Amino acid sequence: PPPPPPPPPPPPTPPLCDLSVKMVLTFAASGLLIGTSIAFAIAVLGVLMVPGPDKTMNRLLIVIGVICALLFWMMIFASQVNPILLPVDTRYSDATPELRKEAAEGWNRGPEPSAPPGGWW
């Protein structure tokens, strides 16, 4: 019998520049670039328009405050973007329509409270 055909060659890997361009475009499209630009503008304006006699300390406080606010905003932004990317709920994917209706009505809340002996009043 003839020898088996050779295996197909592996798919070519994309060049590094394509990956970095995609990463930059993803960063820019996600809104982080706009937020970072706004924070940078606030920091520059704050540093240029420093009031008071102790300008060095005020500049330092402005820059540190903007960096902390930017990091906090980035964490909140990232935590909100993650569920939006892939919101898949598989808990009831194989459930019957009756079970889905029961779940929607809150069957998992536990038993209803019973009245004490003698009633509520």
Side-chain angles (χ1 to χ4, degrees):
T13 57
L16 185 61
C17 64
D18 283 350
L19 292 176
S20 61
V21 168
K22 287 180 184 177
M23 288 172 39
V24 169
L25 291 177
T26 303
F27 179 76
S30 68
L32 289 175
L33 184 62
I34 295 170
T36 306
S37 302
I38 291 171
F40 182 73
I42 290 171
V44 168
L45 287 175
V47 167
L48 293 177
M49 300 168 38
V50 172
D54 194 7
K55 292 184 185 257
T56 305
M57 179 60 81
N58 288 341
R59 285 181 178 144
L60 180 66
L61 291 175
I62 288 170
V63 170
I64 289 175
V66 169
I67 289 172
C68 289
L70 177 66
L71 289 175
F72 181 72
W73 175 78
M74 283 180 163
M75 286 186 285
I76 298 298
F77 187 88
S79 69
Q80 291 178 352
V81 166
N82 186 24
I84 293 172
L85 294 178
L86 192 61
V88 177
D89 185 8
T90 59
R91 290 180 292 180
Y92 306 110
S93 62
D94 58 346
T96 62
E98 293 84 19
L99 184 59
R100 288 177 193 238
K101 183 178 177 188
E102 253 186 276
E105 291 172 355
W107 59 270
N108 202 14
R109 287 184 304 198
E112 294 292 325
S114 58
W120 290 105
W121 305 107

